[in-house]
Coordinates of all heavy atoms in Angstrom, one line a residue:
M78 N 51.0 151.8 95.1 CA 51.9 152.3 96.1 C 52.2 151.2 97.1 O 51.3 150.5 97.6 CB 51.3 153.5 96.8 CG 52.1 154.1 97.9 SD 51.4 155.6 98.5 CE 51.0 155.1 100.2
T79 N 53.5 151.0 97.4 CA 53.9 150.0 98.4 C 54.3 150.7 99.7 O 55.1 151.7 99.7 CB 55.1 149.2 97.8 OG1 54.7 148.6 96.6 CG2 55.6 148.2 98.8
L80 N 53.8 150.2 100.8 CA 54.1 150.7 102.1 C 54.9 149.6 102.9 O 54.4 148.5 103.0 CB 52.8 151.1 102.8 CG 53.0 151.7 104.2 CD1 53.7 153.1 104.1 CD2 51.6 152.0 104.8
T81 N 56.0 149.9 103.4 CA 56.8 148.9 104.1 C 57.0 149.4 105.5 O 57.1 150.5 105.8 CB 58.2 148.7 103.4 OG1 58.9 149.9 103.4 CG2 58.0 148.2 102.0
F82 N 57.1 148.4 106.4 CA 57.4 148.6 107.8 C 58.5 147.7 108.3 O 58.7 146.6 107.8 CB 56.2 148.3 108.7 CG 55.0 149.2 108.5 CD1 53.9 148.8 107.7 CD2 55.0 150.4 109.1 CE1 52.9 149.7 107.5 CE2 53.9 151.3 109.0 CZ 52.9 150.9 108.1
S83 N 59.3 148.2 109.2 CA 60.4 147.4 109.8 C 59.8 146.3 110.6 O 58.8 146.5 111.4 CB 61.3 148.3 110.6 OG 62.2 147.5 111.3
A84 N 60.4 145.1 110.6 CA 60.0 144.0 111.5 C 60.1 144.4 112.9 O 59.3 144.1 113.8 CB 60.7 142.8 111.2
V85 N 61.2 145.1 113.2 CA 61.4 145.6 114.6 C 60.3 146.5 115.1 O 59.8 146.4 116.2 CB 62.8 146.3 114.7 CG1 63.0 146.9 116.1 CG2 63.9 145.3 114.4
L86 N 59.9 147.4 114.2 CA 58.8 148.3 114.6 C 57.5 147.5 114.8 O 56.8 147.8 115.8 CB 58.6 149.3 113.5 CG 57.4 150.3 113.6 CD1 57.7 151.2 114.8 CD2 57.2 151.1 112.4
L87 N 57.2 146.6 113.9 CA 55.9 145.8 114.1 C 56.0 145.0 115.3 O 55.0 144.9 116.1 CB 55.7 145.0 112.8 CG 55.4 145.7 111.6 CD1 55.3 144.8 110.4 CD2 54.1 146.5 111.7
F88 N 57.1 144.3 115.6 CA 57.2 143.4 116.8 C 57.2 144.3 118.0 O 56.7 143.9 119.1 CB 58.4 142.5 116.7 CG 58.2 141.4 115.7 CD1 59.1 141.2 114.7 CD2 57.1 140.5 115.8 CE1 58.9 140.1 113.8 CE2 56.9 139.5 114.9 CZ 57.8 139.3 113.9
G89 N 57.8 145.5 117.9 CA 57.8 146.3 119.1 C 56.4 146.8 119.5 O 56.1 146.8 120.7
I90 N 55.7 147.2 118.5 CA 54.3 147.6 118.8 C 53.5 146.5 119.3 O 52.7 146.6 120.3 CB 53.6 148.2 117.5 CG1 54.3 149.5 117.1 CG2 52.1 148.4 117.6 CD1 54.0 150.1 115.8
A91 N 53.6 145.3 118.7 CA 52.9 144.1 119.2 C 53.3 143.7 120.6 O 52.5 143.3 121.4 CB 53.0 143.0 118.2
S92 N 54.6 143.9 120.9 CA 55.1 143.5 122.2 C 54.5 144.5 123.3 O 54.1 144.0 124.3 CB 56.6 143.6 122.3 OG 57.1 142.7 121.4
V93 N 54.4 145.8 123.0 CA 53.8 146.7 123.9 C 52.4 146.4 124.1 O 51.9 146.4 125.2 CB 54.0 148.2 123.3 CG1 53.2 149.2 124.1 CG2 55.5 148.6 123.4
F94 N 51.7 146.1 123.0 CA 50.3 145.7 123.1 C 50.1 144.4 124.0 O 49.2 144.4 124.8 CB 49.7 145.5 121.7 CG 48.2 145.1 121.8 CD1 47.2 146.0 122.0 CD2 47.9 143.7 121.5 CE1 45.9 145.6 122.0 CE2 46.5 143.4 121.5 CZ 45.6 144.3 121.8
A95 N 51.0 143.4 123.8 CA 50.9 142.2 124.6 C 51.1 142.5 126.1 O 50.5 141.9 126.9 CB 51.9 141.2 124.1
V96 N 52.1 143.3 126.4 CA 52.3 143.7 127.8 C 51.2 144.5 128.4 O 50.8 144.2 129.5 CB 53.7 144.4 127.9 CG1 53.9 145.0 129.3 CG2 54.8 143.5 127.5
K97 N 50.7 145.4 127.6 CA 49.6 146.3 128.2 C 48.3 145.5 128.4 O 47.6 145.7 129.4 CB 49.3 147.4 127.2 CG 50.3 148.5 127.1 CD 50.2 149.4 128.3 CE 51.1 150.6 128.1 NZ 51.1 151.4 129.2
T98 N 48.0 144.5 127.6 CA 46.8 143.7 127.8 C 47.0 142.5 128.7 O 46.1 141.8 128.9 CB 46.3 143.3 126.4 OG1 47.2 142.5 125.8 CG2 45.9 144.4 125.5
R99 N 48.2 142.3 129.1 CA 48.6 141.2 130.0 C 48.3 139.9 129.4 O 47.9 138.9 130.1 CB 48.0 141.4 131.4 CG 48.4 142.6 132.1 CD 47.7 142.7 133.4 NE 48.0 144.0 134.0 CZ 48.5 144.1 135.2 NH1 48.9 143.1 135.9 NH2 48.8 145.3 135.7
S100 N 48.4 139.8 128.1 CA 48.2 138.5 127.4 C 49.4 137.6 127.6 O 50.5 138.0 127.6 CB 47.9 138.7 125.9 OG 49.1 139.3 125.3
T101 N 49.1 136.4 127.8 CA 50.2 135.4 128.0 C 49.9 134.2 127.2 O 48.9 134.0 126.6 CB 50.2 134.9 129.5 OG1 48.9 134.4 129.8 CG2 50.5 136.1 130.4
G102 N 50.9 133.3 127.1 CA 50.7 132.1 126.3 C 51.8 132.0 125.3 O 52.8 132.8 125.2
A103 N 51.7 131.0 124.5 CA 52.7 130.7 123.5 C 52.8 131.8 122.4 O 53.9 132.1 122.0 CB 52.4 129.3 122.8
G104 N 51.7 132.4 122.0 CA 51.7 133.4 121.0 C 52.5 134.7 121.5 O 53.3 135.2 120.8
A105 N 52.3 135.1 122.7 CA 53.0 136.2 123.3 C 54.4 135.9 123.5 O 55.3 136.8 123.3 CB 52.3 136.6 124.6
A106 N 54.7 134.7 123.9 CA 56.1 134.3 124.1 C 56.9 134.3 122.7 O 58.0 134.8 122.6 CB 56.2 132.9 124.7
L107 N 56.3 133.8 121.7 CA 56.9 133.9 120.4 C 57.0 135.3 119.9 O 58.1 135.6 119.3 CB 56.0 133.1 119.4 CG 56.5 133.1 117.9 CD1 57.8 132.4 117.8 CD2 55.5 132.4 117.0
L108 N 56.1 136.1 120.1 CA 56.1 137.5 119.7 C 57.3 138.2 120.4 O 58.1 138.9 119.7 CB 54.8 138.2 120.1 CG 54.8 139.7 119.8 CD1 54.4 139.9 118.3 CD2 53.7 140.3 120.7
L109 N 57.4 138.0 121.7 CA 58.5 138.7 122.4 C 59.9 138.1 122.0 O 60.9 138.9 122.0 CB 58.3 138.6 123.9 CG 57.1 139.4 124.4 CD1 56.8 139.1 125.9 CD2 57.2 140.9 124.2
F110 N 59.9 136.8 121.7 CA 61.2 136.2 121.3 C 61.6 136.9 119.9 O 62.8 137.2 119.8 CB 61.0 134.7 121.1 CG 62.1 134.1 120.3 CD1 63.4 133.9 120.8 CD2 61.9 133.7 119.0 CE1 64.4 133.3 120.1 CE2 62.9 133.2 118.2 CZ 64.2 133.0 118.8
L111 N 60.7 137.0 119.0 CA 61.0 137.5 117.7 C 61.4 139.0 117.8 O 62.3 139.4 117.1 CB 59.8 137.4 116.7 CG 59.5 136.0 116.2 CD1 58.2 135.9 115.5 CD2 60.7 135.5 115.4
F112 N 60.7 139.8 118.7 CA 61.1 141.1 118.9 C 62.5 141.2 119.4 O 63.4 142.0 118.9 CB 60.1 141.8 119.8 CG 60.5 143.3 120.1 CD1 60.6 144.2 119.1 CD2 60.9 143.6 121.4 CE1 60.9 145.5 119.4 CE2 61.2 144.9 121.7 CZ 61.3 145.9 120.7
G113 N 62.9 140.4 120.4 CA 64.2 140.4 121.0 C 65.2 140.0 120.0 O 66.3 140.5 119.9
F114 N 64.9 139.0 119.2 CA 65.8 138.5 118.2 C 66.1 139.5 117.2 O 67.3 139.7 116.8 CB 65.1 137.2 117.5 CG 65.9 136.8 116.3 CD1 67.1 136.2 116.4 CD2 65.3 137.1 115.0 CE1 67.7 135.8 115.2 CE2 66.0 136.8 113.9 CZ 67.2 136.1 114.0
F115 N 65.1 140.2 116.6 CA 65.3 141.2 115.6 C 66.1 142.4 116.1 O 66.9 143.0 115.4 CB 64.0 141.6 114.9 CG 63.6 140.7 113.9 CD1 62.5 139.9 114.0 CD2 64.3 140.6 112.7 CE1 62.0 139.0 113.1 CE2 63.9 139.7 111.7 CZ 62.7 138.9 111.9
T116 N 65.9 142.7 117.4 CA 66.6 143.9 117.9 C 68.1 143.5 118.3 O 68.9 144.4 118.2 CB 65.9 144.4 119.2 OG1 65.8 143.4 120.1 CG2 64.6 145.0 118.8
A117 N 68.3 142.3 118.6 CA 69.7 141.9 119.0 C 70.5 141.5 117.8 O 71.7 141.8 117.8 CB 69.6 140.7 119.9
G118 N 70.0 141.0 116.8 CA 70.7 140.6 115.6 C 71.8 139.6 115.9 O 73.0 139.7 115.5
T119 N 71.4 138.5 116.5 CA 72.4 137.4 116.9 C 72.9 136.6 115.7 O 72.5 136.9 114.5 CB 71.7 136.4 117.9 OG1 70.7 135.8 117.2 CG2 71.2 137.2 119.1
G120 N 73.7 135.6 115.9 CA 74.3 134.8 114.8 C 73.2 133.9 114.2 O 73.4 133.5 113.1
A121 N 72.1 133.7 114.9 CA 71.0 133.0 114.3 C 70.1 133.8 113.4 O 69.0 133.4 113.0 CB 70.1 132.3 115.4
Y122 N 70.5 135.0 113.2 CA 69.7 136.0 112.5 C 69.3 135.5 111.1 O 68.2 135.6 110.7 CB 70.4 137.3 112.4 CG 69.7 138.4 111.6 CD1 68.7 139.1 112.1 CD2 70.0 138.6 110.2 CE1 68.0 140.1 111.4 CE2 69.3 139.6 109.5 CZ 68.3 140.3 110.1 OH 67.6 141.2 109.4
G123 N 70.3 134.9 110.4 CA 70.1 134.5 109.0 C 68.9 133.5 108.8 O 68.0 133.8 108.1
P124 N 69.0 132.4 109.5 CA 67.9 131.4 109.3 C 66.6 131.8 109.8 O 65.5 131.6 109.1 CB 68.4 130.2 110.2 CG 69.8 130.4 110.3 CD 70.1 131.8 110.3
I125 N 66.5 132.5 110.9 CA 65.2 133.0 111.4 C 64.7 134.1 110.5 O 63.5 134.2 110.3 CB 65.3 133.4 112.9 CG1 65.7 132.2 113.8 CG2 64.0 134.0 113.4 CD1 65.9 132.5 115.2
H126 N 65.5 135.0 110.1 CA 65.1 136.0 109.1 C 64.6 135.4 107.9 O 63.5 135.9 107.3 CB 66.3 137.0 108.8 CG 65.8 138.1 108.0 ND1 66.0 138.1 106.6 CD2 65.3 139.3 108.2 CE1 65.5 139.2 106.1 NE2 65.1 140.0 107.0
D127 N 65.2 134.4 107.3 CA 64.7 133.8 106.1 C 63.4 133.1 106.3 O 62.5 133.2 105.5 CB 65.7 132.7 105.7 CG 67.0 133.3 105.1 OD1 67.1 134.5 104.9 OD2 68.0 132.6 105.1
L128 N 63.2 132.5 107.5 CA 61.9 131.9 107.8 C 60.8 132.9 107.9 O 59.7 132.8 107.3 CB 62.0 131.1 109.2 CG 60.7 130.5 109.7 CD1 60.3 129.3 108.8 CD2 60.9 130.0 111.1
V129 N 61.0 134.0 108.6 CA 60.0 135.1 108.7 C 59.8 135.7 107.3 O 58.6 136.0 107.0 CB 60.5 136.2 109.7 CG1 59.6 137.4 109.7 CG2 60.6 135.5 111.1
A130 N 60.8 135.9 106.5 CA 60.7 136.5 105.2 C 59.8 135.6 104.3 O 59.0 136.1 103.5 CB 62.0 136.8 104.6
S131 N 60.1 134.3 104.4 CA 59.3 133.4 103.5 C 57.9 133.3 104.0 O 57.0 133.2 103.1 CB 59.9 132.0 103.5 OG 59.8 131.4 104.8
F132 N 57.6 133.4 105.3 CA 56.2 133.5 105.8 C 55.6 134.8 105.3 O 54.4 134.7 104.9 CB 56.2 133.4 107.3 CG 54.8 133.3 107.9 CD1 54.0 132.2 107.7 CD2 54.3 134.4 108.6 CE1 52.8 132.1 108.2 CE2 53.1 134.3 109.1 CZ 52.3 133.2 108.9
A133 N 56.3 135.9 105.3 CA 55.7 137.1 104.8 C 55.4 137.1 103.3 O 54.4 137.6 102.9 CB 56.7 138.3 105.1
R134 N 56.3 136.4 102.5 CA 56.0 136.2 101.1 C 54.8 135.4 100.9 O 54.0 135.6 100.0 CB 57.2 135.6 100.4 CG 58.3 136.6 100.1 CD 59.4 136.1 99.2 NE 60.0 134.9 99.7 CZ 61.1 134.9 100.5 NH1 61.6 136.1 100.8 NH2 61.7 133.8 101.0
F135 N 54.6 134.3 101.7 CA 53.5 133.4 101.7 C 52.2 134.2 101.9 O 51.2 134.1 101.2 CB 53.6 132.3 102.7 CG 52.4 131.5 102.9 CD1 51.9 130.6 102.0 CD2 51.6 131.7 104.1 CE1 50.7 129.9 102.2 CE2 50.5 131.0 104.3 CZ 50.0 130.1 103.3
L136 N 52.2 135.1 103.0 CA 51.0 135.9 103.3 C 50.7 136.8 102.2 O 49.5 137.1 101.9 CB 51.2 136.6 104.6 CG 51.2 135.7 105.8 CD1 51.5 136.6 107.1 CD2 49.9 135.0 106.0
S137 N 51.7 137.4 101.5 CA 51.5 138.4 100.5 C 50.9 137.7 99.2 O 50.2 138.3 98.5 CB 52.8 139.2 100.1 OG 53.7 138.3 99.5
Q138 N 51.3 136.4 99.0 CA 50.8 135.7 97.9 C 49.3 135.3 98.1 O 48.6 135.0 97.1 CB 51.6 134.4 97.6 CG 53.0 134.8 97.1 CD 53.0 135.5 95.8 OE1 52.2 135.2 94.9 NE2 53.9 136.5 95.7
L139 N 48.8 135.2 99.3 CA 47.5 134.9 99.6 C 46.5 135.9 99.0 O 45.4 135.6 98.6 CB 47.2 134.7 101.1 CG 47.8 133.5 101.7 CD1 47.5 133.5 103.2 CD2 47.2 132.2 101.1
G140 N 46.9 137.1 98.9 CA 46.1 138.2 98.4 C 46.0 138.3 96.9 O 45.1 139.0 96.4
N141 N 46.8 137.5 96.2 CA 46.8 137.6 94.8 C 45.8 136.6 94.2 O 45.5 135.6 94.4 CB 48.2 137.3 94.2 CG 49.1 138.5 94.5 OD1 48.7 139.6 94.8 ND2 50.4 138.2 94.6

């Protein structure tokens, strides 16, 4: 069985967690950038989406 989640949903949950725990730094900034990027759907969507998708494929291949 395959379970899929939207990137917007995952980044939204992670953003809420980052704000609630008052975590700061480069990781939180990247997380909030990605959340804003996926919700806005700007012209840079294609390259950044491809980068995130290839990273997700890489992570899924680690389990095999």
Side-chain angles (χ1 to χ4, degrees):
M78 180 172 110
T79 302
L80 184 63
T81 59
F82 291 100
S83 168
V85 174
L86 175 67
L87 293 177
F88 286 124
I90 291 170
S92 297
V93 169
F94 180 75
V96 169
K97 288 283 190 182
T98 59
R99 297 178 188 238
S100 63
T101 58
L107 177 64
L108 176 83
L109 293 173
F110 165 76
L111 288 172
F112 176 64
F114 167 76
F115 278 109
T116 56
T119 64
Y122 177 81
I125 296 176
H126 182 267
D127 292 343
L128 177 69
V129 172
S131 66
F132 185 69
R134 282 191 300 273
F135 168 73
L136 289 178
S137 69
Q138 292 297 320
L139 287 178
N141 292 336

